[in-house]
Amino acid sequence: MDTMLSWIDQHSDELLAMYKKLHAIPELGFQEFKTSAILAEELRKAGYEVQDKVAGTGIIGTLKGKDPGLTFALRADMDALPMEEKTGLPYASTHPGTMHACGHDSHSAMLLFAAKAIAANGGIKRGALKILFQPGEEGYGGARAMIESGILKGVDEMVGIHMRNNNEARVGEAVPAVYHSASCKVQATIHGKAAHSAWLHRGVNVIEALAAVVNASCAIHADPTVTHSVKVTRCSAGGKAANIIPDLAELTFDLRSQTNEVMADLQAKVENAVLAGSATVGAKGEVVILRSSPAADHDKALIADTAASIAAILGPDKCLPPTITPGSEDFHCYSTIAGIKTAFIGLGGDMGTGGHTPTMCLDLSALPNGAKIMAHLVRAKLG
């Protein structure tokens, strides 16, 4: 174990160089062609059996032990965000309008070097290790696509890792489980009837219907013991002329819930608000679920394992309690859809202005910490 962890220290400059290389070439979901090619080649050089182009740009590297055992997976996401970087870093994005503002580049770099350290120091004794680089986490359905590929059949347990904002963990700290909320985007369309505004009785004004729908959505209630929210985040109706009764309106809802059960309740009530609210003025509403991510459903025993590895690497006092966040993560599809036991490590990285901001940057001293935690966890699970 000590030799493997020392290997990461000895190769920390290479780890940081890989992070900077990935940071400079951010790519959007399912367009991670350069990123995935680099990661796949590095895994092959390390001795992994590699399957690339999974679900488009996904990668799975496999290392097998001699003895029977569980199939254990580590996952990192690869995609970036559609925003212009304003950090001024020497390794800033070279792709205009695209930035690694959520730390996915750091996740991939840490996982790659954890995988390298394991392979370079005796591999594993039992079972199988799967190294998973996932495309399209930022609302593109990447986890679902990986599941649907069938490539994850037989995986027993999976652990992910993500840099956390300063209020959750600082450099040198980590949490053994992040409990994300369920997230859902709902698109509503309201159809009315156009008319000249002088003869409004001949039309059906979708703006009046829109107002009824918004009011109805504000009156939605769910289990008060579960954190949840429903809000309208976009709406549009009407054209340039002020004397025309508009016949089409569109609005988008953002739904959040700490449990999947309450999310299902919210979805049903939003749909009813759209249909019934529209009908109050004679309009017709339609509802489409654009995308959703389930709430976390982690395995307690696996959380204990991640906590033990964090404590071993950073110290017992640096392993913080599990954290609850209103943010979402499609990683939780692996447990709720694929039935894999999961845990999700939150690593302190001093993210400055925080994720999804154009000035977000990391304290790079955190990266060896993450690689060591993952490598330690694999050695503890698979020998």
Side-chain angles (χ1 to χ4, degrees):
M1 183 76 78
D2 290 343
T3 302
M4 181 180 63
L5 300 178
S6 296
W7 187 96
I8 294 174
D9 285 329
Q10 294 164 9
H11 293 79
S12 61
D13 287 345
E14 296 172 37
L15 166 56
L16 301 188
M18 175 58 66
Y19 163 75
K20 293 174 182 179
K21 184 175 184 177
L22 297 178
H23 187 86
I25 56 166
E27 298 168 296
L28 300 179
F30 295 109
Q31 298 177 34
E32 308 96 338
F33 303 112
K34 295 178 183 178
T35 302
S36 61
I38 291 169
L39 296 171
E41 179 62 21
E42 290 295 319
L43 279 181
R44 289 191 179 97
K45 289 179 181 178
Y48 284 79
E49 176 188 328
V50 177
Q51 294 170 280
D52 57 8
K53 300 179 181 178
V54 179
T57 50
I59 302 164
I60 293 183
T62 303
L63 201 63
K64 295 180 180 179
K66 292 183 180 180
D67 298 328
L70 61 79
T71 297
F72 184 75
L74 292 173
R75 174 268 200 181
D77 36 19
M78 298 186 292
D79 56 324
L81 288 160
M83 63 169 55
E84 197 72 38
E85 181 163 355
K86 298 179 181 179
T87 62
L89 292 168
Y91 50 88
S93 172
T94 58
H95 293 174
T98 310
M99 176 189 175
H100 268 300
C102 195
H104 295 190
D105 46 353
S106 67
H107 309 157
S108 291
M110 289 187 294
L111 178 54
L112 174 63
F113 274 78
K116 283 173 168 272
I118 294 162
N121 291 275
I124 59 173
K125 294 180 180 178
R126 56 187 178 272
L129 171 64
K130 300 281 186 180
I131 301 297
L132 169 61
F133 292 104
Q134 180 202 305
E137 189 279 326
E138 295 287 357
Y140 295 92
R144 283 184 168 86
M146 295 296 280
I147 294 167
E148 290 167 1
S149 75
I151 204 75
L152 297 176
K153 289 181 179 178
V155 173
D156 300 299
E157 298 179 357
M158 182 185 295
V159 172
I161 191 168
H162 202 297
M163 289 292 185
R164 303 312 301 164
N165 288 323
N166 295 4
N167 64 313
E168 295 180 5
R170 303 302 298 263
V171 169
E173 300 175 333
V175 299
V178 179
Y179 282 90
H180 292 92
S181 295
S183 170
C184 179
K185 301 295 183 292
V186 178
Q187 178 70 45
T189 304
I190 303 172
H191 300 277
K193 184 178 179 182
H196 192 295
S197 61
W199 290 275
L200 69 165
H201 64 290
R202 296 177 181 174
V204 176
N205 192 336
V206 291
I207 293 180
E208 295 172 352
L210 191 154
V213 168
V214 172
N215 284 335
S217 70
C218 290
I220 288 174
H221 300 292
D223 185 346
T225 66
V226 177
T227 302
H228 64 274
S229 66
V230 175
K231 77 286 291 184
V232 176
T233 54
R234 291 186 299 186
C235 65
S236 64
K240 294 181 179 179
N243 61 347
I244 298 174
I245 299 294
D247 62 352
L248 181 67
E250 294 180 332
L251 63 161
T252 304
F253 295 87
D254 178 280
L255 282 59
R256 306 272 166 165
S257 169
Q258 200 57 55
T259 70
N260 295 310
E261 293 75 17
V262 167
M263 175 56 74
D265 183 36
L266 294 179
Q267 288 177 346
K269 288 176 177 176
V270 166
E271 180 175 9
N272 184 62
V274 172
L275 300 182
S278 299
T280 60
V281 298
K284 181 181 179 181
E286 297 176 354
V287 174
V288 175
I289 305 294
L290 294 181
R291 60 180 183 264
S292 61
S293 293
D297 183 15
H298 293 315
D299 181 75
K300 291 182 179 179
L302 189 52
I303 292 173
D305 293 335
T306 61
S309 289
I310 292 170
I313 300 302
L314 303 180
D317 61 325
K318 300 300 183 181
C319 181
L320 307 182
T323 186
I324 297 173
T325 172
S328 63
E329 239 291 350
D330 78 350
F331 175 83
H332 306 300
C333 293
Y334 296 117
S335 58
T336 58
I337 296 175
I340 299 170
K341 294 178 180 179
T342 64
F344 195 81
I345 298 168
L347 183 69
D350 285 6
M351 293 175 68
T353 56
H356 293 226
T357 63
T359 53
M360 190 281 285
C361 57
L362 302 170
D363 184 330
L364 301 191
S365 68
L367 272 61
N369 292 340
K372 288 180 181 179
I373 291 168
M374 288 188 284
H376 185 282
L377 180 60
V378 170
R379 187 54 55 87
K381 300 291 289 187
L382 304 178

